[in-house]
Amino acid sequence: MRVLVVEDERRLADGIRAGLEAEGFAVDVAHTGTDGLWSAAEHPYDAIVLDLLLPGLNGYQVCARLRERGVWTPILVLTAKDGEWDEVEALDTGADDYLTKPFSHHVLVARLRALLRRDLRERPVVLEAGDLRADPGSRRAWRGDREVELTAREFSVLEFLLRRRGEVLSKSEILRHVWDEAFDGDPNIVEVYVGHLRAKLDRPFGCQSIETVRGAGYRMAADGG
């Protein structure tokens, strides 16, 4: 899923980006509170990792202003500040969870996945369409009782299609959520990955789960094809 990281320490921000991308997330980075607020308000992120001590607007202000604008994207506050009042203030201004530096990358990923499961859209732990299943926590997928091995990017495309099953999704929408806003390659890369998924999840089983809607994009069949 697509995550915004707002962190002014560039080496740390780059490390978080690399780690999350290795787990299949699409990641955008902002280095100031002002830029983070703009990005979070303008783009449909699935979660936000937000430092508190930021230039421009601090993390508390970013949280409060997003909630005032009706942006309810889950926010994980990440900070070097340690103390119960810092945690209380972050949560009171709109954050959903709190993690103190230094932190374990594995804990960060687990916290983000927990936030995604708790999102107001009530996303299920295991995503299903007919006998096609995907577990975002373990990054595993199955067709019926048979497990199918997918790359991190293939799984991310499948996860996004399953979360929005029954809806027509354009190539640009898939790119925004599975890659990131800085992607400047060939948008037909989406077609390539859809082809990979069909080769692994559909053709060997005589199914057609990912439908091409001419001139519009792709749709995951609600019954899994």
Side-chain angles (χ1 to χ4, degrees):
M1 294 288 98
R2 190 177 181 190
V3 175
L4 173 66
V5 175
V6 189
E7 170 60 66
D8 63 325
E9 296 181 39
R10 291 178 182 268
R11 289 183 62 185
L12 177 57
D14 289 344
I16 294 173
R17 182 208 287 265
L20 292 180
E21 287 180 341
E23 296 287 340
F25 290 91
V27 183
D28 296 329
V29 175
H31 296 295
T32 70
T34 305
D35 289 342
L37 176 62
W38 183 88
S39 294
E42 292 295 320
H43 300 291
Y45 291 103
D46 297 287
I48 300 169
V49 178
L50 178 67
D51 189 25
L52 285 184
L53 300 178
L54 293 166
L57 300 172
N58 63 40
Y60 303 119
Q61 293 170 312
V62 173
C63 276
R65 295 190 187 188
L66 285 173
R67 297 322 189 207
E68 288 170 0
R69 297 182 186 187
V71 177
W72 296 104
T73 305
I75 297 174
L76 172 63
V77 166
L78 185 67
T79 179
K81 299 186 72 175
D82 188 13
E84 63 178 18
W85 291 112
D86 298 320
E87 182 175 353
V88 167
E89 185 173 359
L91 296 173
D92 281 349
T93 54
D96 297 278
D97 202 356
Y98 186 97
L99 193 58
T100 303
K101 303 174 188 176
F103 59 89
S104 161
H105 170 72
H106 298 294
V107 172
L108 173 63
V109 172
R111 292 279 184 89
L112 281 175
R113 294 203 183 283
L115 284 180
L116 290 172
R117 290 196 298 271
R118 296 205 306 262
D119 192 357
L120 294 177
R121 285 164 283 188
E122 297 183 354
R123 297 170 175 171
V125 175
V126 175
L127 305 168
E128 298 181 350
D131 69 347
L132 178 59
R133 295 178 293 129
D135 181 354
S138 64
R139 313 292 288 174
R140 300 168 67 192
W142 299 264
R143 171 65 82 172
D145 294 329
R146 180 176 166 185
E147 184 170 355
V148 180
E149 291 191 11
L150 301 177
T151 67
R153 189 72 74 184
E154 288 167 354
F155 188 91
S156 293
V157 175
L158 174 63
E159 181 182 359
F160 184 55
L161 291 171
L162 281 171
R163 290 192 187 279
R164 303 279 295 276
R165 61 190 177 281
E167 299 180 33
V168 177
L169 303 171
S170 67
K171 287 183 180 179
S172 60
E173 190 171 5
I174 296 171
L175 279 173
R176 285 198 304 271
H177 282 266
V178 178
W179 279 262
D180 58 53
E181 64 180 6
F183 179 79
D184 60 358
D186 187 345
N188 287 326
I189 191 68
V190 174
E191 184 177 338
V192 172
Y193 276 88
V194 167
H196 291 172
L197 291 175
R198 285 170 169 163
K200 293 183 177 183
L201 296 168
D202 283 351
R203 284 198 288 274
F205 304 93
C207 299
Q208 189 176 353
S209 63
I210 306 174
E211 306 167 358
T212 298
V213 181
R214 189 174 299 276
Y218 300 99
R219 175 173 53 214
M220 170 63 69
D223 63 358

